[in-house]
Amino acid sequence: MNIAFRVANSLFTLYMLAILLRWLGPWLSLEVESGRLRWIARLTDPLISRIRRLLPAMGPVDFSPFAALMAIWFVREVAKGVLAGPPAGL
């Protein structure tokens, strides 16, 4: 496998995990707003806040982290297709 392919896939996956930690942090009693894990909030808040502005208000539930996960997943899949190159038979 191509090294760029592996690095890109790993970085996207790590960013998705950071979004999950940011989203589930309050339920897991993780202090992502302050303390030692505040770097997670600083890393993920720019994307989540942009998506939050685009989504309509849906009551007490915030779907922006879920939408961010889906967006990152889509970009990761497109990047994997681009970095993998054409199929071997072509």
Side-chain angles (χ1 to χ4, degrees), residues 17-87:
L17 287 173
I19 290 173
L20 276 174
L21 279 175
R22 175 78 170 104
W23 191 18
L24 299 175
W27 291 331
L28 299 173
S29 299
L30 298 175
E31 294 183 21
V32 294
E33 294 292 332
S34 62
R36 291 178 21 192
L37 297 177
R38 69 179 172 263
W39 62 271
I40 294 174
R42 286 196 309 242
L43 182 68
T44 59
D45 277 351
L47 177 63
I48 291 174
S49 63
R50 285 187 185 137
I51 291 175
R52 191 174 288 140
R53 279 183 266 152
L54 294 174
L55 289 177
M58 296 184 209
V61 180
D62 183 16
F63 286 106
S64 56
F66 178 74
L69 282 173
M70 292 297 103
I72 295 295
W73 176 80
F74 179 76
V75 170
R76 182 181 72 172
E77 293 302 313
V78 169
K80 282 170 46 175
V82 168
L83 292 174

